[in-house]
């Protein structure tokens, strides 16, 4: 990677808790069906997976939201389920039903067969997409790579798709914790290899989505989710601080992680992403400047009118500053979870403008 400086490095500076001119903002699921141009690319590609596995199309949909809104980061267009797919589970999507696996993990033999996939052979389309996006971004903003958390991936691998109550994965964890840990060990090794491959291909920040950690009791969360988040934060190579790209920050996002912020701040990650059920001010007080915080507007706020969106953005920015000793530094603005297909692009524009205007230093 050449040493061309980023034109906009607010996002990376905020993750290092360094001063910025405005609070950076990006949105989880910022590329997606709420954009007509995404729907057109997807229709031309024929399917979501056809698009995600084609580096040129993945690059195109990654850039679409950046052409509309002055976002401070791009996020690779892909999916967390590419990893279990590469482990041989056979990912497919049923229209209106979400992701499914042809061969879910059900037995000890299924677990014993799991291995860290060969990144070059099985996931080359992802690192190709990272390289293509970096070239097309031309250093305008940093590119975020990502993975699912081991626990969240295990949920899909064992349930075979989405789930109402996570009965199969929780039953396995309770009945046979040793088998569950064998699965989580190999999945966390795969996550580390996957994030490292994205970093080496040019991803400038990395995020782990622990979407389903919050469905666990505290003792199960610590045993089956947090332990592996910590393993990733400690084992994942970040590059040398004095390399062209600097150290690559890792953000741990978790839905329902509000009870564990102190532990997440001590995990070794550079950033913690939170949902809207915890206040940014409380989160800042409890994490005491050990990590940058990312979040946390309730995504449903985007269904309200632009003046209400602006008011809630202001409230979140000020809440963070109050808990952070009066300073806005160390905050990356985001939603508390991903966007939905029926949200209005005009309301997204209002949100992004409000973040930049109301946080100007
Ligand atoms: O943020 C971004 O813009 C990057 C792209 C991204 C996608 N999925 C694209 C996608 C990211 C970061 C993800 C992560 C992901 N995928 C998570 C964790 C984040 C979260 O929301 O909690 C999870 C749990 C998944 C699994 C998954 N993939 C689900 C539940 C679905 C939705 C199925 C549906 O029909 O709504 C997907 C498919 C998916 N991944 C879509 C997109 C844009 C929709 C696919 C389509 O176009 O039909």
């Amino acid at each position: 990677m050449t040493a061309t400086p980023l034109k906009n490095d607010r996002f990376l500076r905020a993750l290092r808790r360094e001063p910025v001119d405005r609070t950076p903002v990006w949105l989880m699921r910022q590329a997606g069906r709420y954009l007509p141009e995404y729907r057109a690319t997807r229709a031309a590609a024929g399917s979501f997976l056809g698009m995600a596995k084609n580096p040129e199309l993945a690059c195109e949909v990654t850039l679409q939201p950046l052409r509309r809104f002055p976002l401070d980061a791009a996020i690779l267009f892909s999916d967390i389920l590419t990893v279990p797919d590469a482990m041989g589970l056979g990912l497919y999507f049923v229209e209106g039903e979400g992701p499914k696996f042809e061969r879910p993990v059900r037995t000890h033999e299924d677990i014993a067969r799991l291995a860290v996939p060969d990144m070059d052979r099985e996931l080359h389309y992802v690192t190709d997409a990272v390289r293509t996006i970096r070239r097309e971004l031309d250093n305008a903003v940093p590119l975020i790579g990502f993975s699912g958390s081991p626990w969240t991936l295990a949920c899909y691998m064992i349930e075979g798709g989405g789930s109402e109550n996570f009965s199969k994965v929780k039953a396995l964890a309770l009945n046979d914790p040793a088998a569950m840990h064998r699965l989580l060990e190999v999945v966390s090794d795969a996550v580390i290899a996957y994030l490292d491959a994205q970093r080496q291909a040019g991803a400038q920040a990395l995020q782990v989505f622990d979407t389903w950690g919050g469905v666990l009791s505290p003792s199960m969360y610590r045993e089956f989710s947090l332990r592996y988040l910590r393993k990733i934060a400690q084992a994942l190579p970040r590059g040398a601080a004095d390399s062209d790209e600097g150290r690559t920050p890792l953000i741990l996002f978790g839905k329902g992680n509000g009870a564990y912020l102190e532990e997440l701040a001590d995990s070794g990650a550079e950033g913690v992403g939170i949902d809207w059920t915890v206040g940014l001010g409380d989160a800042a007080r409890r994490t005491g400047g050990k990590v940058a915080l990312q979040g946390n507007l309730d995504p449903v706020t985007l269904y309200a009118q632009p003046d209400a969106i602006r008011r809630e953005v202001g409230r979140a920015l000020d809440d963070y500053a109050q808990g952070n000793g009066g300073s806005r530094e160390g905050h990356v603005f985001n939603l508390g979870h991903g966007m939905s297909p029926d949200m209005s692009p005009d309301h997204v524009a209002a949100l992004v403008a409000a973040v930049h205007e109301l946080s100007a230093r």
Side-chain angles (χ1 to χ4, degrees):
M1 213 47 64
T2 50
T4 321
L6 277 162
K7 289 161 198 143
N8 171 354
D9 66 351
R10 277 178 199 133
F11 170 69
L12 295 179
R13 291 181 62 88
L15 285 171
R16 295 192 294 262
R17 300 186 57 83
E18 292 171 3
V20 284
D21 60 339
R22 288 148 200 268
T23 297
V25 53
W26 69 280
L27 305 173
M28 290 187 276
R29 294 275 185 101
Q30 64 192 25
R33 287 168 287 186
Y34 77 103
L35 292 175
E37 57 270 34
Y38 172 93
R39 297 195 296 268
T41 307
R42 189 181 182 284
S47 70
F48 167 72
L49 274 181
M51 194 165 61
K53 292 192 174 183
N54 177 320
E56 298 298 327
L57 296 180
C59 175
E60 165 59 24
V61 290
T62 299
L63 299 183
Q64 285 172 350
L66 293 136
R67 295 191 190 115
R68 279 189 183 245
F69 318 114
L71 294 157
D72 296 297
I75 179 161
L76 164 70
F77 188 82
S78 187
D79 199 82
I80 62 168
L81 301 178
T82 53
V83 168
D85 186 46
M87 293 171 105
L89 274 64
L91 174 64
Y92 66 102
F93 284 87
V94 183
E95 200 64 49
E97 285 182 45
K100 299 233 185 295
F101 285 116
E102 283 163 27
R103 294 172 290 279
V105 173
R106 291 286 151 77
T107 64
H108 279 180
E109 293 69 47
D110 294 340
I111 293 174
R113 263 197 302 275
L114 295 172
V116 175
D118 183 321
M119 295 297 141
D120 266 347
R121 218 175 44 233
E122 308 295 342
L123 288 158
H124 206 74
Y125 66 91
V126 176
T127 46
D128 274 349
V130 169
R131 280 183 284 268
T132 305
I133 298 163
R134 276 298 306 272
R135 190 185 70 224
E136 294 299 316
L137 270 176
D138 195 22
N139 290 302
V141 292
L143 174 63
I144 305 167
F146 68 91
S147 170
S149 74
W151 167 257
T152 295
L153 294 177
C155 287
Y156 288 97
M157 292 169 77
I158 292 167
E159 299 289 338
S163 175
E164 288 278 311
N165 60 3
F166 301 92
S167 56
K168 294 186 185 73
V169 65
K170 286 186 181 179
L172 178 69
L174 291 164
N175 290 331
D176 197 347
M180 190 71 208
H181 283 298
R182 287 200 298 280
L183 182 142
L184 291 166
E185 280 298 344
V186 59
V187 173
S188 54
D189 289 339
V191 166
I192 290 166
Y194 186 54
L195 291 172
D196 192 39
Q198 292 181 49
R199 181 183 67 81
Q200 292 191 43
Q204 292 143 300
L206 298 165
Q207 174 157 316
V208 171
F209 287 87
D210 189 24
T211 306
W212 301 125
V215 305
L216 291 166
S217 67
S219 67
M220 287 181 75
Y221 175 83
R222 292 191 174 94
E223 178 173 356
F224 297 108
S225 181
L226 180 62
R227 185 201 287 200
Y228 295 95
L229 295 175
R230 206 184 275 130
K231 170 176 160 176
I232 293 164
Q234 290 172 8
L236 180 69
R238 310 287 215 287
D242 62 352
S243 73
D244 291 346
E245 299 291 333
R247 259 177 79 79
T248 306
L250 172 71
I251 304 166
L252 300 178
F253 165 74
K255 199 152 167 277
N257 65 6
Y260 314 106
L261 298 182
E262 293 84 354
E263 289 150 284
L264 289 164
D266 281 329
S267 65
E270 287 72 23
V272 173
I274 60 177
D275 74 14
W276 62 96
T277 61
V278 49
L280 277 164
D282 285 338
R285 276 183 286 272
R286 287 168 52 199
T287 52
K290 287 182 184 170
V291 286
L293 289 174
Q294 178 176 279
N296 75 342
L297 194 72
D298 180 349
V300 171
T301 309
L302 280 169
Y303 294 110
Q305 292 306 312
D307 58 336
I309 294 171
R310 189 178 173 90
R311 184 189 66 225
E312 292 306 310
V313 165
R315 205 196 294 275
L317 287 166
D318 293 347
D319 185 22
Y320 176 83
Q322 266 179 22
N324 191 47
S327 160
R328 298 195 191 282
E329 312 308 350
H331 180 205
V332 173
F333 202 97
N334 205 316
L335 302 173
H337 196 200
M339 294 188 61
S340 298
D342 60 348
M343 287 172 170
S344 149
D346 291 343
H347 290 197
V348 175
L351 182 154
V352 174
V355 174
H356 284 159
E357 285 167 29
L358 299 175
S359 69
R361 316 290 202 258

